Amino acid sequence: MLITHDTECALGVLVELLNTAPEVAGAEQLTDTAALEAFVVRCDVSDVDSIGAADVPAVQRLRGELREIFTAPSTEAAAGLVNALVAAVNATPRLTDHDGHGWHMHYFAPHAALADHLAAELGMALGLILMAGERDRLRRCEAPDCARVFVDLSRNRSRRYCDSRTCGNRMHVAAYRARQRSAGGTVPAPSDWPAAEETADLAVGA
């Protein structure tokens, strides 16, 4: 699947936004304008005008709408939600070559409010994923105690865990220890877990 630089960046922003929700992070991460401004800077969201208090609940609502698309039960359901989202914000496709990125497409109207800006860009990125028949790349981390999401852009669609190495390492170590127990081997003590973790990563090709 060929994904352009701007689409990949938009998908990265999408994942970061979805993972700020309280049901994912344990507490709301976009609590005020300062947190929202920090998110914009961290995700390198371009062409953003000033951010005000009204932008906080607007982006929080958008986050819920995007999560509905991300977790929709079918491509048809997701497509309907994408169409409604981008239509509501009057998506305005235009070519731009700002900041040395070469020519690429922006979908938000000039000077759009942040929520509308994100809705257009992230909605279209999701639309491109659906159009390519790649909806199964929109995934939730398989660690049982993690609600984070990610987009699997690996060639062989092999990713199972979120961007945090913590989840993958924990699950690899748990699988390694289970194999040791079933084989009658010695289960590493907690102080030896780093070494066991490294061994487990090698064993599963992580």
Side-chain angles (χ1 to χ4, degrees):
M1 177 183 64
L2 176 63
I3 294 182
T4 61
H5 171 77
D6 49 316
T7 299
E8 185 172 347
C9 289
L11 291 171
V13 175
L14 170 68
V15 167
E16 287 292 322
L17 178 59
L18 294 182
N19 288 335
T20 63
E23 63 270 23
V24 176
E28 175 63 68
Q29 301 300 295
L30 302 179
T31 52
D32 52 25
T33 56
L36 197 53
E37 288 169 353
F39 171 83
V40 167
V41 171
R42 183 171 74 252
C43 294
D44 195 23
V45 181
S46 61
D47 292 342
V48 176
D49 291 342
S50 60
I51 296 174
D55 292 307
V56 176
V59 171
Q60 290 173 348
R61 285 193 298 271
L62 170 65
R63 183 180 60 197
E65 295 172 10
L66 290 168
R67 190 170 187 87
E68 283 188 57
I69 299 170
F70 200 98
T71 60
S74 67
T75 299
E76 291 75 16
L81 292 169
V82 166
N83 287 339
L85 181 65
V86 298
V89 296
N90 297 317
T92 308
R94 55 193 168 90
L95 282 166
T96 181
D97 64 345
H98 67 88
D99 297 332
H101 290 309
W103 289 104
H104 60 284
M105 193 73 76
H106 277 179
Y107 298 97
F108 59 91
H111 309 294
L114 180 59
D116 290 350
H117 175 134
L118 292 174
E121 293 291 296
L122 308 188
M124 288 302 304
L126 283 166
L128 292 171
I129 288 288
L130 298 179
M131 185 174 65
E134 301 284 3
R135 192 173 69 91
D136 62 343
R137 292 182 182 271
L138 308 179
R139 300 182 178 175
R140 175 173 166 166
C141 182
E142 290 187 19
D145 57 348
C146 182
R148 290 172 61 86
V149 299
F150 63 92
V151 178
D152 180 8
L153 298 179
S154 66
R155 181 173 300 179
N156 60 359
R157 305 168 186 245
S158 60
R159 274 191 64 187
R160 299 173 58 197
Y161 305 109
C162 64
D163 288 335
S164 170
R165 286 276 296 172
T166 304
C167 288
N169 284 345
R170 283 192 298 108
M171 299 306 293
H172 292 163
V173 170
Y176 169 75
R177 297 180 72 204
R179 289 194 299 272
Q180 288 291 98
R181 282 194 295 269
S182 65
T186 302
V187 178
S191 60
D192 294 330
W193 284 1
E197 181 176 298
E198 180 179 354
T199 303
D201 279 350
L202 291 173
V204 299

